């Protein structure tokens, strides 16, 4: 049989675990540049899939002084010509900012509540990109909107970012495959040119 102290402990553990998994905090972390430790400003993706503010990456590249540099996060080699803007991440940062601003309004130790209805903000309206309460959900304003639990919204953003990552990686593969193809082609051209030259030489000697 479980003793009473066991129950108290497990309850406390559960509270600690759920506090650690604040979805908004998770999102903020993913929206943070590892160079300046602030929200991404005009984010860019590098070949390895890591993201940085455009200015942070530009400054980092200037320091290296060559066309090649290494990823500030994982040290993998990065071609400056392959640095691309990540518009989806820029949107993600904007949404995260809104969510966390709402989070800042929450009073210490209390759940985030709706400014209009003083109810906990447990839902997220996909049309308006805002967290809302159950009363908001019933209101005219959001009645015909897609409303999902806030945890699900946080999860969706992460999935979305994951998909984008896959697309980037596929693009990378395509570019690499194309490079190999053109290299093979130029090799073929070189060989045929040599054959033609040889024939020309043979004709000359005839
Ligand atoms: Zn930065
Ligand atoms: Zn990297
Ligand atoms: Zn409300
Ligand atoms: Zn709405």
């Amino acid at each position: 049989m479980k003793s009473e102290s066991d129950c108290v402990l497990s309850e406390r553990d559960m509270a600690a675990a759920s506090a650690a998994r604040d979805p908004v905090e998770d999102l903020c972390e993913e929206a943070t540049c590892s160079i300046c430790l602030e929200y991404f400003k005009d984010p860019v993706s590098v070949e390895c899939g890591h993201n940085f503010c455009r200015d942070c990456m530009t400054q980092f590249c200037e320091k290296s002084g060559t066309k090649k540099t290494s990823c500030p996060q994982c040290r993998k080699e990065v071609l400056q010509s392959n640095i691309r803007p990540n518009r989806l991440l820029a949107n993600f940062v904007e949404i995260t900012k809104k969510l966390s601003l709402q989070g800042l309004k929450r009073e210490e130790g209390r759940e985030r509540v709706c400014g209009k209805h003083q109810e906990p903000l447990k839902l997220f309206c996909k049309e308006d990109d805002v967290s809302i309460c159950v009363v908001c959900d019933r209101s005219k304003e959001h009645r015909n909107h897609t409303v999902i639990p806030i945890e699900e919204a946080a999860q969706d953003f992460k999935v979305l970012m994951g998909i984008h990552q896959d697309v980037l990686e596929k693009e990378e593969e395509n570019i690499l495959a194309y490079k190999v193809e053109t290299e093979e082609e130029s090799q073929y051209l070189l060989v045929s040119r040599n054959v033609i030259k040889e024939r020309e030489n043979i004709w000359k000697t005839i």
Side-chain angles (χ1 to χ4, degrees):
M1 218 178 93
K2 271 188 171 184
S3 74
E4 214 172 298
S5 65
D6 273 348
C7 290
V8 172
L9 256 179
S10 68
E11 249 178 28
R12 205 183 287 157
D13 285 350
M14 271 163 64
S18 70
R21 268 187 284 114
D22 181 350
V24 177
E25 238 169 70
D26 270 9
L27 286 178
C28 291
E29 231 166 76
E30 306 224 6
T32 303
C33 166
S34 63
I35 298 179
C36 63
L37 301 178
E38 294 193 21
Y39 285 128
F40 289 115
K41 269 177 242 104
D42 193 7
V44 290
S45 274
V46 293
E47 282 156 276
C48 53
H50 286 123
N51 301 291
F52 309 95
C53 314
R54 182 180 291 282
D55 285 349
C56 290
M57 198 58 208
T58 307
Q59 276 175 23
F60 188 83
C61 290
E62 273 167 9
K63 266 188 232 158
S64 82
T66 54
K67 277 184 182 169
K68 274 182 192 169
T69 185
S70 58
C71 169
Q73 210 165 326
C74 69
R75 303 274 148 211
K76 262 193 200 152
E77 196 174 86
V78 168
L79 269 177
Q80 288 187 33
S81 52
N82 281 345
I83 296 172
R84 277 166 291 175
N86 190 340
R87 278 179 216 98
L88 193 66
L89 182 60
N91 294 341
F92 171 82
V93 170
E94 285 314 306
I95 294 167
T96 305
K97 270 187 199 167
K98 278 187 208 163
L99 279 171
S100 65
L101 259 182
Q102 286 167 349
L104 284 178
K105 285 180 196 155
R106 123 181 92 171
E107 286 169 57
E108 200 66 35
R110 274 177 59 184
E111 244 178 327
R112 279 171 293 154
V113 293
C114 170
K116 260 191 239 165
H117 311 103
Q118 308 307 314
E119 291 285 334
L121 291 167
K122 287 189 169 164
L123 301 167
F124 184 81
C125 172
K126 281 182 141 185
E127 262 85 355
D128 303 319
D129 283 340
V130 287
S131 354
I132 58 173
C133 76
V134 282
V135 184
C136 291
D137 184 28
R138 302 257 166 87
S139 70
K140 256 192 212 156
E141 204 188 334
H142 301 280
R143 193 182 291 154
N144 297 318
H145 291 170
T146 313
V147 172
I148 56 173
I150 190 93
E151 289 84 5
E152 228 170 82
Q155 208 50 47
D156 278 2
F157 290 136
K158 278 193 204 159
V159 170
L160 200 65
M161 293 311 296
I163 289 169
H164 183 61
Q165 212 55 61
D166 285 351
V167 171
L168 273 184
E169 271 159 27
K170 286 238 174 67
E171 254 174 45
E172 215 55 63
E173 275 168 25
N174 287 342
I175 290 169
L176 278 177
Y178 177 73
K179 268 187 199 155
V180 170
E181 245 170 53
T182 46
E183 260 164 36
E184 273 171 9
E185 216 165 88
S186 53
Q187 202 60 41
Y188 171 77
L189 279 176
L190 213 73
V191 171
S192 26
R193 237 183 258 147
N194 285 342
V195 170
I196 292 169
K197 252 189 207 161
E198 266 170 37
R199 278 187 197 157
E200 275 176 357
N201 286 339
I202 292 169
W203 286 331
K204 269 180 204 161
T205 54
I206 289 174

